[in-house]
Amino acid sequence: MTIQLYGFWRSNAAFRVRVALALKNLAFEEIDIDILSGRQFDPGFAEVNPGHAVPTLVHDGHRISQSAAIIEYLDEVHPEPRLLPADPRERAHARSLAMVLAADAHPLTVPRVRKYLGQALGADKAAIESWCRHWTTDGLSTYERLLARRPPAPFALGTTPTIADISIAGQVALADVYRMDLATFPEVAALAKRCFALPAFADAHPFRQPGYKASGEAR
Ligand SMILES: N[C@@H](CCC(=O)N[C@@H](CS)C(=O)NCC(=O)O)C(=O)O
């Protein structure tokens, strides 16, 4: 069995897949696509990902895009440890937590959106940063309300991390990329601390990827 992941150090969607693979103890090779330099538009990459985006997982030659679909696939072919609970109501809750980031907050801050804001709408660098911080804060606020309603024990759905924790940790990783303070999101910060204490999460963090140091964004 071989697994390749087309990803990028700063990609939050790739972060989510990296964590899932590590939690399942699946070895993989990551192929770096520099989406800040436009490598997602290289000839041939549309074959890998028709949306000109990362991640794409290649499992024994079979390609899958969309991080949520990849994680659900991994859960089906390698069920242990489960990243989606067996109980339908718990599974729905895990998916709804995951979608706060994957469907609502994160898509507003990806490079193609930032590029359109700058090139088509004339937003400058500060305005684009402000836009990204705003929508990242919006996602953090939603997670804070959801976690206050059902406190983690110790993870979002119970004793082991699920797709919900992966997404909440992803929202925090985005906040790290935008150098944001989590002081006003205590439930999120505490859960993320528990997640990032696990090597599967810590090793997947954008700042731990080899491309980060080479990017010139390292502080
Ligand atoms: N919904 C997709 C998001 C894919 C996506 O937008 N990925 C970003 C990186 S996190 C990307 O490659 N963007 C390229 C661009 O915006 O040009 C997923 O969860 O996999």
Side-chain angles (χ1 to χ4, degrees):
M1 180 194 73
T2 62
I3 301 181
Q4 293 171 313
L5 173 66
Y6 287 85
F8 183 55
W9 71 265
R10 195 183 147 123
S11 162
N12 197 269
F15 163 84
R16 301 195 283 270
V17 176
R18 247 185 250 123
V19 176
L21 287 165
L23 285 171
K24 290 181 177 291
N25 210 13
L26 295 171
F28 64 99
E29 173 202 5
E30 184 156 348
I31 300 161
D32 216 40
I33 302 298
D34 186 345
I35 57 172
L36 296 179
S37 315
R39 296 276 73 85
Q40 67 274 36
F41 301 107
D42 280 356
F45 191 71
E47 195 66 34
V48 174
N49 189 309
H52 297 289
V54 293
T56 290
L57 186 93
V58 188
H59 184 206
D60 288 339
H62 180 72
R63 292 186 185 125
I64 310 164
S65 56
Q66 292 290 345
S67 58
I70 295 169
I71 293 171
E72 295 218 7
Y73 169 78
L74 289 173
D75 226 37
E76 283 161 17
V77 295
H78 291 283
E80 294 301 326
R82 288 194 75 107
L83 300 180
L84 285 109
D87 175 76
R89 290 185 179 173
E90 287 294 271
R91 192 158 65 242
H93 184 54
R95 284 186 177 126
S96 70
L97 283 165
M99 288 300 115
V100 170
L101 170 66
D104 295 349
H106 172 239
L108 292 164
T109 64
V110 296
R112 60 187 172 277
V113 171
R114 300 201 300 270
K115 190 171 158 190
Y116 186 77
L117 287 169
Q119 292 183 357
L121 304 181
D124 63 14
K125 193 168 177 246
I128 296 170
E129 285 276 311
S130 166
W131 166 280
C132 291
R133 288 204 177 87
H134 172 82
W135 292 114
T136 303
T137 302
D138 193 68
L140 289 168
S141 306
T142 303
Y143 276 137
E144 190 66 22
R145 287 191 292 276
L146 284 161
L147 295 180
R149 189 192 288 181
R150 176 174 166 176
F155 294 102
L157 274 287
T159 53
T160 58
T162 64
I163 192 169
D165 303 281
I166 294 175
S167 293
I168 294 164
Q171 191 72 45
V172 168
L174 272 182
D176 292 343
V177 166
Y178 295 117
R179 313 285 173 182
M180 292 166 54
D181 186 5
L182 294 182
T184 49
F185 307 105
E187 292 283 359
V188 172
L191 177 57
K193 197 172 170 194
R194 282 192 287 280
C195 289
F196 284 111
L198 303 176
F201 285 82
D203 294 344
H205 192 284
F207 297 164
R208 293 279 285 271
Q209 305 316 301
Y212 172 61
K213 277 207 172 77
S215 72
E217 291 194 34
R219 293 187 190 171

